[in-house]
Structures are given as structure tokens and as C-alpha cells.
């Protein structure tokens, strides 16, 4: 593409013959020549430099303006459907849709993806009883729990890496979330509840994270990542998991098998706290706490309507107005998810078996998967030009659902009920992937509208949106009296995001003919971001041991001030107030 465009520009007289072109992610070519004036070969970022009457033609004629994947063409909508005078209205609607996409990601991960991961780990005999600090609980925490908590981040990174034009979003989001979590969230925990940090887990996690950041910095400097390097990211995370398990085993041998009081080297494990509200269908928000004392025979229709109700009216009446408002926004999402994603709950006697709804899931979950995979390209494919794939899936799934309904009862789950956990895991993963695809596309559209680089959008909107859930959960845990556990989660979770996000995201884009992915920075902001993250980690690595792991409000104020200064420098760099050679 670069070679062909250079030839065209040479013929048009815009460039001397043989001039090489380097097409960086997010960089734009200088205007000039007839080809450029018609919008062909230009970066889509140039659309706002044209007259408003030419916007639609520019968007539809420029290949760079085509969004890969997704169900909605946001660029065509804002520049063709809306007239130029209504551009503020279009931006407002897109911003509201962006917020709703974050709600979809959060609800799917919290109430459907994580519970099914927990059920799968239970079926695989990976106990995660928090009352015993065992090897299996450590393995569960750094694998299944990390995957569940980091699912939105990793899926967003994989989607962003799938297109070189949006790779800057992934880099910005991964580094931006790292800076945000290690400064604002960690500092907020120290402000809320001064504490003594767990020394060995802290040093282990910071060292691994610094190594991961350094590797990413080197790859960005080289401008490409090869197959071996992508596998190295995943291998480093496996080594991190093994290190956690080994450290846990050594620590248990040193203190004996009994449950000793935690020392300054070990994060406290809650053994007598209020039982958290269970997640999953027909629980917590869905009225499970009001289960009748005596079991009664319910009809299938009654079970179905109860299971599909995302509201608990008793709980609704005693909650404040802002909770009700947020719940009202979540109800449509939860209802659709209840219809399409099964949830298995090992903590319940019936494993959350809802016979009519689970039989319906046998039909809706496979349909969801084929209709969201590649934005429905596979589901709408016509077999020999006659019968669509979604029709075949409907027939097969309907037959299986009918057989399941006939051979099971409402009272007792079947022996193969654990299969629904894997089906729910796959269906919720497809929901997260679809929402992440729309999220990346709308962020790219907003970047084109406001002339912003992908990196600044990644380190702000995408990083904040993906980190807001962890922020509230960690601060809540600190207020409840477990600041060390919350502080450990700050560093342990983002190791998974950067190693698996970059490694898996790039690995999935490689082919046998081209086993590498180009990662060329789209602006000097990438280096500001990488340097800020590395400096924050070095600061904590030096200051925390110097204070004998006693973290107070002064440490929290320093971290939050550091993030505000970094954000100012990043924005000034983006708007070219600060220049770098």
C-alpha cells in the first residue's frame, strides 16, 4: 500500500520518484495532489480539514474510514446521516452510547462471566475458599479470577490490536490503566485506610510488572513484535503464576499448615466478613434472599418468568434514588443477558438450575455466538447459497432443547449441568467481545471527530472506563478493613492485563505468512505514557520499602498528585503545547 501510494504520488508530482513512505498508526500524510483531494489514500483523520459538504463523500470513498467489525458504522452515521449543524447532537448521543457500552461490559463480566468462570474452576477442582490460603486458591486468584476481572481490558486490547489503525488504543489503554491503578487507586487505598503493605507479594508483583513494562517499551522502540516475543509475553505470565504458587508453598512450609495470623509479608484473608451478595441469574438483585422456607412445586411458566425478572421489588423500595436510577439503566442489559447467557452457581443446592430458562439457553446461546462472531458474517453465511448458518443452528439447538426439556425435571439439575457453565462462559465472552468491538470503533470515531490520537483516547476514556469497576471494588474493600488485599489487587491484576493483553492480542493477528505485528507509535505521547508508568513503579518500588511498608496518607497524596501531573503533561503533549523532537 505504501509503495503503490508512493508511485501514485510520484506520477502526480506530489513526491519525487522513489520516495519511501512510512505509515505510522495514527499519522497523517501531508495533503497535496489530485488523489488526495478526492479523499483516496488519506488518513481518515483528515476529514475535518475539508469543507463540511465534502465530509460524507470523503468518508465513503476513503478506505481508511472503513471500520472493521462491529454492527454500526459510526463514521457514516456522524458525517452522513447527521447534517453538519447537528454534529454536537451526534457527539452527545455517541458519548451516551459509549457510557452504556461500559455498563454492558461491567454487568456482563460481573454477573455472568465471572460466576461461570468460578463454576468452571470448581468443576476442575480448583477450590477458592478464601478462609484457607492454599496453593489452589493462589492458582485460582492469578488465573481464573484475574481473567474474570480483566476480561473487558483483554478483550478491548485484542479487538484494538486486530486493526493497525486502532493499535494505539490498546497501548494507551493498557499503559493508561496501569498508571491509573498504580497511582490513583493505590493512593486512594492509602488515603482511605493507612496500612502495612504485604512485603514479599508487593516486591514480587512490582518486579514482574516492571519487567513487562520494559519489554513493551523495547517492542515499541523496535516497532514490531514477532511470534517468539508474543509467546514470551504469555510465557512470562505462566512463570508469574508458577512463582506465586511456589512462594505460597514456601510460605506455608515456613509457618506450618495451620491458619496463622497474617504478618507484614502476607495480605490478610477475610474469614469472618459479611457474605457478599452472590452473582448470577435469579440471585442477589433477583430476589433469591426471599426464598420461601418450604419448597413448593412451581410450574415451568412461573419458573421462567421469575428467572427472567432482573428486579427485586423489595430491594428496590429500600434503596436510594441514585441506585434505582442506575439499576433502571442496567435492567435492559440484564434482561437480554438473562435470555442468552446461562449461569451455574455451585454454592446453591440446585446449582441455579432453571429448567425452562436453561432449555431456552440451549437455543439462544448458540444463536448469539454465531450472530456476534465476526459481526454476524458467519451466521448470515448461506450454505451452498440456499440455507443460512443461523437457520441450521436454530434447528439443531431447538431439537437439543426439546430433548433436554423432556428428559429433565424442574426440581433436580441433570448430571451434565456443568456443561451450561462452559456455554455461559462462551456466550458471555461473545457479549464482551461484541461490546468491546463497538467500544473501540466509537472511540476511533470520537478521535477522528475531535482530531485526537488513539493513544490519548486509550489512556483516558478506555482506561478509565475499564478501571472504574476495580477502583470502586478496591476502595470498598479497603473501607471494610482489608486494605492490604486491595493494594495487592492493584498490582496483581494489571500484570495479567499487560502480559495477556499484548501477548494474546498480537498473537491472534499473526499468520503463517507474516508472523509479526507492527507496533509503530502514533505520537510522542506513547513515550510519555511508558515513561510515566515506569517512573511510578520505580517510585513505589523505592518509597514503599523505605517506609518499612507502612503506607499512610502522605504516600496516597503523592501518588494522586503524580497522576494529575502526568495527565496534564499527556494532554499538553497531545495538543502540541509541549514538543518532543
Amino acid at each position: 500500500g505504501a509503495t503503490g501510494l508512493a508511485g501514485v504520488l510520484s506520477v502526480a508530482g506530489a513526491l519525487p520518484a522513489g520516495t519511501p513512505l512510512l505509515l505510522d498508526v495514527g499519522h497523517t500524510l501531508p495533503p497535496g495532489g489530485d488523489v488526495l483531494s478526492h479523499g483516496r489514500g488519506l488518513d481518515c483523520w483528515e476529514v475535518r480539514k475539508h469543507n463540511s459538504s465534502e465530509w460524507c463523500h470523503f468518508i465513503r470513498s476513503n478506505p481508511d474510514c472503513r471500520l472493521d467489525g462491529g454492527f454500526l458504522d459510526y463514521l457514516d452515521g456522524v458525517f452522513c446521516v447527521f447534517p453538519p449543524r447537528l454534529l454536537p447532537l451526534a457527539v452527545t448521543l455517541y458519548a451516551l452510547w459509549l457510557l452504556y457500552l461500559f455498563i454492558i461490559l461491567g454487568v456482563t463480566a460481573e454477573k455472568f462471566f465471572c460466576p461461570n468462570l468460578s463454576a468452571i474452576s470448581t468443576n476442575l477442582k480448583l477450590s477458592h475458599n478464601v478462609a484457607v490460603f492454599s496453593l489452589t486458591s493462589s492458582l485460582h486468584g492469578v488465573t481464573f479470577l484475574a481473567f474474570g476481572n480483566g476480561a473487558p481490558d483483554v478483550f478491548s486490547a485484542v479487538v484494538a490490536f486486530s486493526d493497525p489503525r486502532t493499535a494505539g488504543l490498546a497501548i494507551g489503554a493498557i499503559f493508561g490503566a496501569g498508571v491509573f491503578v498504580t497511582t490513583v487507586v493505590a493512593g486512594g487505598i492509602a488515603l482511605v485506610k493507612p496500612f502495612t503493605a504485604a512485603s514479599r507479594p508487593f516486591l514480587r508483583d512490582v518486579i514482574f510488572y516492571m519487567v513487562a513494562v520494559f519489554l513493551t517499551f523495547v517492542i515499541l522502540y523496535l516497532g514490531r513484535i514477532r511470534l517468539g516475543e508474543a509467546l514470551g509475553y504469555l510465557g512470562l505470565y505462566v512463570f508469574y503464576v508458577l512463582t506465586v504458587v511456589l512462594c505460597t508453598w514456601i510460605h506455608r512450609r515456613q509457618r506450618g499448615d495451620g491458619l496463622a495470623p497474617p504478618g507484614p509479608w502476607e495480605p490478610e484473608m477475610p474469614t469472618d466478613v459479611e457474605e457478599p451478595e452472590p452473582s448470577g441469574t435469579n440471585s442477589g438483585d433477583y430476589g433469591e434472599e426471599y426464598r420461601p422456607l418450604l419448597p413448593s412445586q412451581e410450574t415451568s411458566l412461573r419458573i421462567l418468568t421469575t428467572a427472567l425478572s432482573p428486579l427485586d421489588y423489595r430491594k428496590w423500595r429500600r434503596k436510594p434514588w441514585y441506585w434505582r436510577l442506575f439499576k433502571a439503566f442496567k435492567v435492559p442489559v440484564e434482561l437480554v443477558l438473562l435470555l442468552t447467557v446461562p449461569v451455574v452457581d455451585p454454592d446453591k443446592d440446585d446449582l441455579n438450575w432453571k429448567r425452562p430458562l436453561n432449555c431456552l439457553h440451549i437455543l439462544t446461546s448458540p444463536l448469539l455466538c454465531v450472530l456476534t462472531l465476526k459481526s454476524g458474517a458467519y451466521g448470515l453465511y448461506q450454505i451452498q447459497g440456499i440455507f443460512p448458518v443461523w437457520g441450521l443452528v436454530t434447528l439443531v439447538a431447538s431439537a437439543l432443547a426439546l430433548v433436554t426439556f423432556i428428559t429433565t425435571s424442574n426440581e433436580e439439575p441433570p448430571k451434565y449441568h456443568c456443561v451450561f457453565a462452559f456455554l455461559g462462559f462462551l456466550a458471555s465472552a461473545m457479549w464482551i467481545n461484541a461490546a468491546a468491538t463497538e467500544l473501540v470503533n466509537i472511540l476511533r470515531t470520537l478521535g477522528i471527530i475531535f482530531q485526537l490520537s488513539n493513544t490519548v483516547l486509550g489512556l483516558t476514556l478506555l482506561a478509565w472506563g475499564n478501571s472504574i469497576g476495580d477502583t470502586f471494588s478496591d476502595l470498598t474493600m479497603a473501607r471494610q478493613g482489608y486494605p492490604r488485599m486491595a493494594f495487592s489487587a492493584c498490582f496483581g491484576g494489571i500484570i495479567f492485563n499487560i502480559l495477556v493483553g499484548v501477548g494474546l492480542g498480537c498473537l491472534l493477528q499473526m499468520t503463517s505468512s507474516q508472523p509479526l505485528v507492527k507496533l509503530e507509535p502514533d505520537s510522542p505521547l506513547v513515550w510519555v505514557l511508558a515513561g510515566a508508568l515506569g517512573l511510578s513503579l520505580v517510585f513505589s518500588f523505592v518509597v514503599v520499602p523505605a517506609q518499612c511498608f507502612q503506607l499512610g496518607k502522605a504516600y496516597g497524596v503523592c501518588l494522586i498528585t503524580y497522576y494529575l501531573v502526568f495527565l496534564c503533561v499527556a494532554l499538553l503533549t497531545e495538543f502540541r503545547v509541549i514538543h518532543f523532537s
Side-chain angles (χ1 to χ4, degrees):
T3 306
L5 182 58
V8 173
L9 295 176
S10 175
V11 173
L15 290 174
T19 301
L21 288 179
L22 175 61
L23 300 181
D24 289 349
V25 178
H27 279 185
T28 59
L29 297 177
D34 294 336
V35 174
L36 299 183
S37 64
H38 285 83
R40 298 185 185 278
L42 264 180
D43 194 304
C44 195
W45 193 77
E46 295 279 334
V47 62
R48 293 295 302 279
K49 296 183 179 179
H50 289 69
N51 190 285
S52 60
S53 60
E54 301 176 358
W55 285 353
C56 185
H57 174 69
F58 183 96
I59 291 295
R60 291 179 173 174
S61 62
N62 191 347
D64 188 61
C65 295
R66 294 172 188 166
L67 299 176
D68 294 336
F71 295 93
L72 300 175
D73 191 340
Y74 298 102
L75 285 171
D76 188 83
V78 73
F79 290 113
C80 296
V81 176
F82 286 89
R85 66 179 181 277
L86 293 182
L87 182 62
L89 175 61
V91 171
T92 302
L93 294 176
Y94 279 15
L96 293 175
W97 176 233
L98 180 68
L99 293 176
Y100 205 68
L101 285 172
F102 281 120
I103 292 177
I104 294 174
L105 283 172
V107 171
T108 307
E110 177 189 357
K111 293 185 176 294
F112 296 87
F113 190 80
C114 289
N116 280 311
L117 270 179
S118 179
I120 291 174
S121 66
T122 300
N123 288 322
L124 295 177
K125 308 303 182 184
L126 291 177
S127 171
H128 49 280
N129 180 11
V130 295
V132 180
F133 194 68
S134 62
L135 297 182
T136 53
S137 66
S138 301
L139 184 61
H140 177 273
V142 296
T143 53
F144 286 94
L145 189 57
F147 187 29
N149 293 338
D153 308 78
V154 172
F155 276 95
S156 299
V158 169
V159 171
F161 276 124
S162 65
D163 188 346
R165 297 169 298 178
T166 56
L169 273 175
I171 298 298
I174 291 174
F175 276 2
V179 178
F180 181 81
V181 171
T182 56
T183 55
V184 175
V185 181
I189 293 171
L191 284 174
V192 169
K193 188 83 171 178
F195 65 101
T196 302
S199 60
R200 286 190 284 193
F202 169 77
L203 295 175
R204 176 197 65 212
D205 291 345
V206 171
I207 290 173
F208 268 97
Y209 196 39
M210 287 194 294
V211 170
V213 172
F214 177 75
L215 290 178
T216 309
F217 185 88
V218 171
I219 286 173
L220 288 174
Y221 179 78
L222 297 176
R224 50 95 187 119
I225 179 172
R226 299 185 183 276
L227 178 61
E229 294 160 344
L231 293 175
Y233 269 87
L234 301 178
L236 182 60
Y237 186 72
V238 173
F239 180 62
Y240 169 71
V241 172
L242 295 177
T243 303
V244 172
V245 173
L246 181 61
C247 291
T248 305
W249 180 79
I250 293 175
H251 180 57
R252 287 189 64 201
R253 289 292 300 270
Q254 289 178 347
R255 71 170 189 173
D257 292 333
L259 190 61
W265 59 85
E266 173 196 350
E268 75 275 22
M269 308 303 292
T271 57
D272 188 19
V273 296
E274 183 180 352
E275 192 69 22
E277 186 175 290
S279 301
T281 57
N282 202 33
S283 63
D285 287 349
Y286 312 140
E288 187 65 23
E289 58 184 297
Y290 300 102
R291 178 189 296 176
L293 296 177
L294 297 177
S296 59
Q297 297 289 336
E298 290 185 304
T299 63
S300 296
L301 181 60
R302 173 68 177 172
I303 294 174
L304 180 62
T305 55
T306 303
L308 286 176
S309 174
L311 278 177
D312 174 7
Y313 296 101
R314 295 185 181 92
K315 191 173 185 179
W316 174 274
R317 286 196 298 267
R318 54 186 170 87
K319 287 293 184 178
W321 65 269
Y322 54 85
W323 185 93
R324 298 183 189 182
L325 180 63
F326 186 60
K327 183 66 176 179
F329 282 108
K330 293 197 300 180
V331 162
V333 178
E334 292 177 345
L335 181 59
V336 175
L337 288 168
L338 287 170
L339 276 169
T340 54
V341 183
V343 175
V344 177
D345 190 349
D347 296 329
K348 294 184 179 180
D349 294 335
D350 62 351
L351 304 178
N352 200 42
W353 166 250
K354 310 296 179 185
R355 177 178 169 232
L357 181 59
N358 289 141
C359 292
L360 184 62
H361 286 149
I362 297 176
L363 172 62
T364 57
S365 294
L367 270 179
L368 167 75
C369 294
V370 298
L371 291 177
T372 55
L373 187 63
K374 291 292 183 181
S375 303
Y378 293 136
L380 300 177
Y381 176 75
Q382 302 278 337
I383 302 175
Q384 294 186 349
I386 300 175
F387 199 70
V389 172
W390 68 264
L392 178 62
V393 171
T394 301
L395 291 176
V396 175
S398 299
L400 289 175
L402 182 61
V403 171
T404 303
F405 188 82
I406 294 174
T407 58
T408 56
S409 64
N410 291 333
E411 291 74 24
E412 186 177 351
K415 294 181 179 179
Y416 51 82
H417 186 225
C418 61
V419 176
F420 284 89
F422 292 91
L423 182 62
F425 167 78
L426 181 61
S428 55
M430 296 305 297
W431 269 115
I432 293 175
N433 182 68
T437 301
E438 300 298 322
L439 191 68
V440 169
N441 286 342
I442 200 171
L443 284 175
R444 180 170 182 255
T445 301
L446 292 176
I448 292 171
I449 294 173
F450 292 109
Q451 309 275 282
L452 298 173
S453 69
N454 288 324
T455 304
V456 74
L457 290 171
L459 76 91
T460 53
L461 295 179
L462 190 55
W464 293 340
N466 285 338
S467 303
I468 193 69
D470 295 335
T471 302
F472 284 117
S473 62
D474 289 342
L475 292 180
T476 300
M477 191 182 301
R479 280 195 297 266
Q480 290 177 347
Y482 304 100
R484 279 202 301 230
M485 183 183 298
F487 190 73
S488 298
C490 289
F491 292 90
I494 51 180
I495 294 175
F496 175 86
N497 294 346
I498 188 171
L499 291 178
V500 179
V502 176
L504 185 63
C506 293
L507 187 64
L508 293 177
Q509 310 314 318
M510 296 180 183
T511 61
S512 57
S513 59
Q514 190 178 10
L516 64 87
V517 173
K518 293 184 178 179
L519 297 176
E520 293 162 353
D522 64 347
S523 72
L525 184 58
V526 173
W527 308 115
V528 175
L529 189 55
L533 179 56
L535 187 59
S536 70
L537 292 174
V538 171
F539 173 78
S540 293
F541 186 71
V542 173
V543 170
V544 173
Q547 295 180 323
C548 299
F549 299 94
Q550 300 285 339
L551 304 183
K553 294 185 178 181
Y555 175 73
V557 171
C558 288
L559 288 182
I560 295 176
T561 304
Y562 178 88
Y563 182 79
L564 294 176
V565 173
F566 151 73
L567 197 59
C568 291
V569 173
L571 294 177
L572 291 175
T573 303
E574 172 65 19
F575 294 113
R576 293 172 176 80
V577 177
I578 298 178
H579 296 276
F580 294 93
S581 59

